[in-house]
Amino acid sequence: MRRPGLHRQHGKPGGGGGGGAKGIYVKLAISVVVLLICTFSLFFSESIAGNRGSLEPSEINVEELWESAKSGGWRPSSAPRSDWPPPPKETNGYLRVRCNGGLNQQRSAICNAVLAARIMNATLVLPELDANSFWHDDSGFQGIYDVEHFVQTLRYDVRIVESIPETRKNGKTKKIKAHQIRPPRDAPISWYTTVALKKMQEHGAIYLTPFSHRLAEEIDNAEYQRLRCRVNYHALRFKPNIMKLSESIVDKLRAQGHFMSIHLRFEMDMLAFAGCFDIFSPEEQSILKKYRKENFAEKRLVYKERRAIGKCPLTPEEVGLVLRAMGFDNSTRIYLAAGELFGGERFMKPFRDLFPRLENHSSVDSSEELATNTRGLLGSAVDYMVCLLSDIFMPTYDGPSNFANNLLGHRLYYGFRTTIRPDRKGLAPIFIDRENGRTAGFEQAVRRVMLKTNFGGPHKRVPPESFYTNSWPECFCQVSPKNPADKCPPDNILEILDRQLENEVSSDIEALAETNSTRRTEV
């Protein structure tokens, strides 16, 4: 009778006993090898886990979050690193643009306009800011930004004028009329060097409108990308009164220690866009659905499905619960950058109960200047600066939110300042379980999700992340790089560019003097 689990050995005749012993030795040898492999694998995996642990802590340290994220030896730098000649004296024409959308959508459009002018060797007319129906604000570029600083900062890059100048021909004054074109969305550079340039040369000037997202973000030219950063983080400076007001608010907030800023995107337009209706009353749902029908393309949206994939903005209470789970207590001072919250106090109360020290620009500064323009471009500009300068910034919805996305990029460039970006898709099932009464391990589950997020350090840009959200590595450099391409430019780069510009001007003056001398000789 054969024993279970044993098999008859087949070998040479007469070798049954020896063959059986040999088979046992073979099995033992295999067992030892397998055991060694398993032991080595376990040791190796623990070693990797230990290395990861040194980079990614297993617990969130709130005190560390109040400091900037680790830079990994990188620092911001958007100065040119290769030959970057000043704009030629001969221009192909004038470029006008109308930047539509809110303040931060307009900001990205201005960066694109400067780059488009450089690409086409055009003279840029000071960009126009759309006084749209949402903002009801006609402040314009001159009312929000420091024009002189803008022109001076970009003098190495493009020629900028406030308006298209008049020309004199045959003793008559003639005004150049810009030819209007609607650029394709995310147009490649080739569109500007062919279609747009041809029209500019034909008419002397072109007017691109609307001008939002009209130039591709991903461009395989690091110098062009660095130009965008020079515009965004250096040239675009708010007017002195806005800067002074913002710094005053920051000083008052910081007088009592660290403070956090939160962009609470629980507003009617975003909720309607996302299709997150079911948590509201029938009357509120009908308002949201009406707004969606009037402003967005028709699309079948199911709240449960949308929420499960992280497409719904976090509610104020969910924001509070995330922060509490991370270890922030009710003494944390929070500055709210938000418009009118939809649903009002019913949704704000749970958040305020968790974090009573909530502020906004009106509560910190009750000056008439802000009170008369809370919802306009001024209010948005102040919110932008306070969020930029805050110790920690948290966007609750960074999908199509230009405000949050631009700030994330600016804070990265501003020295890897800490950001908390909730993973809405990862958090959704945890919140759903909590609502269904399954609360055990809630805070631990939230922490596990949040530990996987990036807190503001350098990281690879992966689509659909925008260049304006993460300009690393193009707009950063390393003092001691492993890759020569990451080396920081010389400290005197501005002096070099100044000399190039002076040489260009000197050449122009010499050419003009020579022309005048020739004319006098002929006379």
Side-chain angles (χ1 to χ4, degrees):
M1 182 176 178
R2 186 180 300 172
R3 292 180 182 177
L6 295 178
H7 299 274
R8 182 174 295 170
Q9 298 292 327
H10 297 280
K12 293 179 182 178
K22 186 178 181 181
I24 290 170
Y25 291 140
V26 169
K27 287 180 179 179
L28 283 171
I30 291 171
S31 299
V32 170
V33 171
V34 169
L35 184 62
L36 285 171
I37 290 171
C38 290
T39 304
F40 178 76
S41 297
L42 183 63
F43 173 79
F44 186 67
S45 63
E46 284 178 352
S47 174
I48 289 177
N51 290 336
R52 283 180 180 158
S54 64
L55 297 173
E56 299 175 7
S58 58
E59 287 296 326
I60 296 171
N61 187 325
V62 169
E63 288 305 312
E64 287 183 2
L65 290 180
W66 290 116
E67 307 299 326
S68 294
K70 290 181 172 62
S71 68
W74 292 88
R75 67 175 176 84
S77 172
S78 56
R81 295 178 211 170
S82 59
D83 185 44
W84 188 257
K89 57 182 180 294
E90 295 295 330
T91 178
N92 285 322
Y94 294 91
L95 173 63
R96 278 181 64 197
V97 298
R98 182 175 66 86
C99 307
N100 56 305
L103 179 71
N104 293 284
Q105 189 168 311
Q106 292 172 357
R107 192 181 183 100
S108 302
I110 294 166
C111 299
N112 287 342
V114 171
L115 178 54
R118 174 78 188 196
I119 290 166
M120 294 189 290
N121 182 27
T123 299
L124 178 67
V125 181
L126 209 61
E128 300 165 25
L129 305 188
D130 182 22
N132 56 58
S133 57
F134 180 78
W135 289 109
H136 299 289
D137 192 320
D138 58 358
S139 302
F141 193 99
Q142 294 91 332
I144 295 294
Y145 295 109
D146 185 332
V147 174
E148 186 179 344
H149 177 79
F150 182 74
V151 175
Q152 180 70 7
T153 303
L154 297 173
R155 66 190 184 279
Y156 312 113
D157 306 302
V158 290
R159 297 184 187 276
I160 303 171
V161 294
E162 292 206 28
S163 60
I164 299 176
E166 294 178 335
T167 59
R168 285 187 65 82
K169 192 173 183 181
N170 301 325
K172 294 182 180 179
T173 302
K174 183 184 177 184
K175 190 170 184 178
I176 300 173
K177 186 177 180 182
H179 177 73
Q180 187 169 319
I181 310 174
R182 184 186 180 94
R185 188 177 175 88
D186 298 322
I189 287 177
S190 58
W191 184 85
Y192 288 90
T193 56
T194 53
V195 177
L197 182 56
K198 183 180 177 183
K199 291 296 180 184
M200 179 179 284
Q201 290 170 332
E202 283 177 16
H203 299 275
I206 57 173
Y207 182 33
L208 304 183
T209 177
F211 197 75
S212 173
H213 306 291
R214 302 292 159 169
L215 177 58
E217 284 191 13
E218 291 301 330
I219 297 174
D220 190 21
N221 183 320
E223 291 296 7
Y224 284 171
Q225 298 292 57
R226 283 191 274 273
L227 173 55
R228 277 173 160 160
C229 290
R230 288 200 291 283
V231 181
N232 207 4
Y233 308 133
H234 296 278
L236 281 175
R237 186 169 72 187
F238 294 120
K239 291 188 73 172
N241 66 308
I242 297 174
M243 298 295 286
K244 186 177 178 182
L245 191 56
S246 305
E247 287 164 6
S248 169
I249 291 174
V250 170
D251 288 344
K252 288 174 183 175
L253 289 166
R254 194 162 281 146
Q256 299 179 41
H258 295 298
F259 79 97
M260 174 192 303
S261 62
I262 296 178
H263 187 223
L264 199 55
R265 202 67 170 94
F266 201 71
E267 300 155 330
M268 181 169 66
D269 63 326
M270 188 51 65
L271 291 162
F273 171 82
C276 302
F277 307 140
D278 291 23
I279 57 175
F280 297 101
S281 69
E283 293 78 14
E284 289 167 338
Q285 286 191 37
S286 99
I287 293 170
L288 290 172
K289 288 174 181 176
K290 181 175 181 290
Y291 187 93
R292 177 169 180 83
K293 188 175 182 181
E294 292 172 353
N295 293 278
F296 304 112
E298 189 175 343
K299 189 177 181 181
R300 179 182 172 274
L301 299 173
V302 179
Y303 170 71
K304 288 183 179 178
E305 294 175 2
R306 300 285 290 170
R307 191 185 184 197
I309 58 173
K311 295 297 182 182
C312 287
L314 295 180
T315 68
E317 182 182 22
E318 288 171 344
V319 173
L321 290 170
V322 169
L323 292 175
R324 272 299 180 87
M326 291 179 69
F328 293 96
D329 61 30
N330 63 2
S331 68
T332 306
R333 196 163 197 189
I334 297 174
Y335 178 89
L336 290 180
E340 187 177 346
L341 265 65
F342 194 74
E345 186 59 23
R346 176 162 56 93
F347 286 94
M348 273 303 296
K349 188 178 183 306
F351 185 25
R352 191 173 283 107
D353 289 343
L354 290 167
F355 292 95
R357 301 183 71 191
L358 299 180
E359 305 275 8
N360 60 29
H361 57 225
S362 298
S363 67
V364 180
D365 189 299
S366 55
S367 63
E368 187 180 344
E369 186 176 14
L370 264 177
T372 56
N373 200 352
T374 295
R375 288 196 65 221
L377 292 174
L378 173 64
S380 183
V382 169
D383 274 349
Y384 185 93
M385 284 306 302
V386 175
C387 289
L388 174 63
L389 298 172
S390 64
D391 300 297
I392 297 173
F393 172 63
M394 179 181 185
T396 61
Y397 195 78
D398 56 346
S401 173
N402 293 296
F403 183 94
N405 285 330
N406 281 17
L407 261 167
L408 289 167
H410 205 156
R411 286 178 64 86
L412 192 76
Y413 189 85
Y414 201 66
F416 305 106
R417 299 175 81 84
T418 299
T419 57
I420 297 174
R421 299 174 71 176
D423 176 1
R424 295 186 306 279
K425 186 176 180 179
L427 291 168
I430 302 170
F431 283 123
I432 291 168
D433 280 349
R434 182 178 181 276
E435 287 157 19
N436 292 329
R438 296 187 289 274
T439 58
F442 169 78
E443 291 199 341
Q444 293 91 325
V446 169
R447 282 195 292 274
R448 276 197 298 273
V449 170
M450 294 307 298
L451 271 167
K452 296 175 185 175
T453 63
N454 179 281
F455 289 115
H459 61 281
K460 185 178 180 182
R461 184 170 67 252
V462 177
E465 189 175 36
S466 162
F467 174 79
Y468 292 104
T469 302
N470 179 12
S471 59
W472 185 86
E474 295 95 331
C475 296
F476 294 82
C477 67
Q478 284 189 312
V479 179
S480 304
K482 293 179 181 177
N483 182 353
D486 297 329
K487 184 179 180 181
C488 289
D491 292 335
N492 66 336
I493 185 66
L494 292 182
E495 294 175 18
I496 294 169
L497 293 172
D498 264 330
R499 283 199 295 272
Q500 289 180 348
L501 205 56
E502 285 170 7
N503 291 339
E504 186 80 15
V505 172
S506 298
S507 299
D508 290 349
I509 292 171
E510 287 171 9
L512 183 63
E514 188 177 334
T515 302
N516 290 338
S517 175
T518 304
R519 283 176 180 168
R520 281 196 298 271
T521 304
E522 289 173 352
V523 172

